Amino acid sequence: MKAVILAGGLGTRISEETHLKPKPMIEIGGKPILWHIMKMYSAHGVTEFVICCGYRGYVIKEYFANYFLHMSDVTFDMENNRMEVHEQKSEPWRVTLVDTGEDTMTGGRLRRVAPYLEGEEAFCFTYGDGVADIDISAALDFHRRHGRDATVTAVRPPGRFGSLLRDGDSVRGFVEKPRGDGGWINGGFFVLSPRVIGRIKGDQMSWELEPMNSLAADDQLRAFEHTGFWQPMDTLREKNLLEELWESGKAPWKMW
């Protein structure tokens, strides 16, 4: 099983960080959020990754090329031009980094990595800027059982602000950041058959529009409900929230 991760967008809503690096390389607890997402999948046995690079994709390539430098203690023997890695920390990962273009839309990026998915019965697909405590193994089982081409994880996002409990102009209570309006949204964690790529016509097609709508119209899309923790990182405020959760030692997405 492979996981395809979108990692090529500009991240304009968090430009405080993305003027120097792609959004998936913004760090939470000293590690890129991309690393956190890969650890989530790895905890469920998904260890092969196809990363769709675009904006400043070389930063992602350099990170994995120098992974031991980021994760281990090293000694540089300058006289003999040698590097010694101490307490080597590696992951059981196979990572393919694909340049999918700076201006390519989400569907186009998936279409460009199709050669790396040949022979797969199904694969995981997600964005490089959000974490959750989703049971990926259960999502995979759900996908295999229903037999359709696509599974989307449905989530109910948390409210951004607290809610007043009112009786006319009297305030009876206050609920801190309740669950949205009760509606389910696309949570960004998919399980897909490679057949879906045939619905993507070019670089400028968004996965979330024509392909998903056509799958729904053809009764080929099913929703896996996730009621636990889910948090995208679209803004600096959300980045700081994830950082606080990680520093507290109670990050819900840390399943490894």
Side-chain angles (χ1 to χ4, degrees):
M1 179 66 64
K2 295 180 179 180
V4 176
I5 304 177
L6 294 171
L10 293 175
T12 54
R13 285 185 287 180
I14 192 169
S15 58
E16 299 91 341
E17 295 259 4
T18 56
H19 67 289
L20 293 175
K21 63 182 74 171
K23 187 160 67 163
M25 294 303 292
I26 294 175
E27 294 184 354
I28 303 297
K31 305 285 195 310
I33 191 169
L34 177 61
W35 178 89
H36 290 262
I37 295 166
M38 294 169 73
K39 289 286 285 186
M40 286 165 43
Y41 278 102
S42 184
H44 289 271
V46 179
T47 57
E48 290 196 51
F49 300 94
V50 179
I51 311 297
C52 303
C53 301
Y55 171 70
R56 295 188 181 272
Y58 63 87
V59 177
I60 301 175
K61 292 179 180 178
E62 288 176 352
Y63 176 78
F64 286 104
N66 298 298
Y67 192 78
F68 290 133
L69 292 179
H70 294 281
M71 302 299 293
S72 305
D73 297 332
V74 295
T75 296
F76 293 98
D77 184 339
M78 309 302 286
E79 182 178 4
N80 296 300
N81 192 28
R82 291 188 312 197
M83 181 183 75
E84 181 181 355
V85 179
H86 306 283
E87 299 180 7
Q88 179 173 307
K89 300 173 184 175
S90 62
E91 305 287 351
W93 296 346
R94 180 178 174 84
V95 185
T96 301
L97 302 160
V98 184
D99 182 0
T100 56
E102 287 209 1
D103 301 318
T104 309
M105 303 298 284
T106 52
R109 294 190 191 281
L110 177 55
R111 185 171 180 264
R112 286 205 183 192
V113 302
Y116 300 97
L117 300 170
E118 291 180 359
E120 296 294 314
E121 178 183 353
F123 64 94
C124 298
F125 180 50
T126 193
Y127 306 104
D129 62 356
V131 290
D133 60 355
I134 178 175
D135 187 338
I136 294 167
S137 297
L140 291 169
D141 289 341
F142 174 79
H143 179 80
R144 294 186 181 105
R145 287 198 308 272
H146 67 62
R148 300 307 199 277
D149 282 351
T151 297
V152 57
T153 297
V155 301
R156 285 187 289 189
R160 182 174 177 183
F161 303 105
S163 176
L164 296 177
L165 303 178
R166 298 175 57 199
D167 181 5
D169 60 2
S170 297
V171 177
R172 301 301 186 188
F174 181 80
V175 179
E176 176 66 13
K177 297 181 181 178
R179 288 276 174 187
D181 60 2
W184 294 87
I185 68 167
N186 166 15
F189 292 90
F190 302 90
V191 185
L192 305 174
S193 162
R195 289 188 295 272
V196 306
I197 298 175
R199 297 174 184 263
I200 304 168
K201 304 308 180 187
D203 281 355
Q204 296 310 305
M205 183 171 281
S206 294
W207 163 251
E208 301 79 10
L209 297 177
E210 293 96 331
M212 284 190 66
N213 279 315
S214 69
L215 284 163
D218 293 342
D219 193 32
Q220 289 296 318
L221 181 62
R222 292 291 184 269
F224 174 77
E225 293 185 359
H226 173 62
T227 58
F229 176 84
W230 174 85
Q231 182 62 60
M233 188 187 66
D234 286 330
T235 65
L236 187 59
R237 182 188 68 84
E238 291 170 338
K239 186 263 186 189
N240 291 336
L241 169 64
L242 294 175
E243 187 76 48
E244 290 169 7
L245 286 171
W246 184 263
E247 292 300 324
S248 74
K250 300 177 181 179
W253 68 91
K254 187 179 186 299
M255 299 173 287
W256 56 90

